[in-house]
Amino acid sequence: AQTVTQSQPEMSVQEAETVTLSCTYDTSENNYYLFWYKQPPSRQMILVIRQEAYKQQNATENRFSVNFQKAAKSFSLKISDSQLGDTAMYFCAFKMASGSRLTFGEGTQLTVNP
Amino acid sequence: EAGVAQSPRYKIIEKRQSVAFWCNPISGHATLYWYQQILGQGPKLLIQFQNNGVVDDSQLPKDRFSAERLKGVDSTLKIQPAKLEDSAVYLCASSLDIGEAFFGQGTRLTVV
């Protein structure tokens, strides 16, 4: 079974600074997807960024980028120029390419301070 | 494009009562998920449908939880009888066969 581990329950960052959230996963599969989801207090789970395992290039979406290390099974999220609206729970998630379940980590509560 | 719709948003029931949640996925999405998210934890998959067939229900407490997906579109999740530990947010999500899942706003259940 696949597992996803987020070792940082809470993190904080000053507005406009950069923060990195960590995620590791365990799988014997070769083809899969990795995601970062954001969950603000409204509870709506919002996709931040996705990475296909077969792509060597790290995904980037505006201020959000990932550092995908396939051999190390590591998938960290970097948020640049942090904004107050980035305050939320962030979940790392794994899904095999064959359309199986989406497995989540336990989450990291990020607080952006003014 | 309309998102995943869930209702109700909130529900408070007494233990041993029954409750049902409803989900309408994004049009054309064959895969539908129900997740349970206990406060402070990550979502845990309860059941996954592919069209109207069950793909994975290994973590569904089948003695009290049931789910169905009528005609491969809408889905309902039922709890009967509810226990205190069922207090959680119930999230519905849908996806195409591959790629990311899109989530509804969830239903917050409180069992007293």
Side-chain angles (χ1 to χ4, degrees), chain A residues 37-74:
Chain A
Y37 281 88
K38 169 185 176 181
Q39 189 179 41
S42 66
R43 305 198 304 266
Q44 180 86 50
M45 196 75 81
I46 302 164
L47 179 69
V48 174
I49 198 165
R50 60 179 275 178
Q51 175 80 44
E52 289 88 346
Y54 66 85
K55 290 186 177 179
Q56 291 186 333
Q57 186 173 6
N58 289 325
T60 298
E61 287 287 341
N62 301 314
R63 299 183 294 108
F64 300 89
S65 61
V66 299
N67 183 4
F68 174 47
Q69 302 289 328
K70 190 172 184 179
K73 297 179 183 176
S74 170

Side-chain angles (χ1 to χ4, degrees), chain A residues 16-27:
Chain A
E17 294 188 346
T18 296
V19 64
T20 299
L21 308 183
S22 302
C23 172
T24 58
Y25 58 95
D26 186 26
T27 184

Side-chain angles (χ1 to χ4, degrees), chain B residues 18 34-35 41 47-48 54 57 60 68 86 88 94 96 101 103 108:
Chain B
S18 63
W34 282 103
Y35 283 87
Q41 299 182 16
I47 191 166
Q48 177 183 345
V54 175
D57 64 355
L60 186 73
E68 61 179 4
D86 297 333
S94 69
L96 297 169
F103 285 80
R108 182 181 297 279

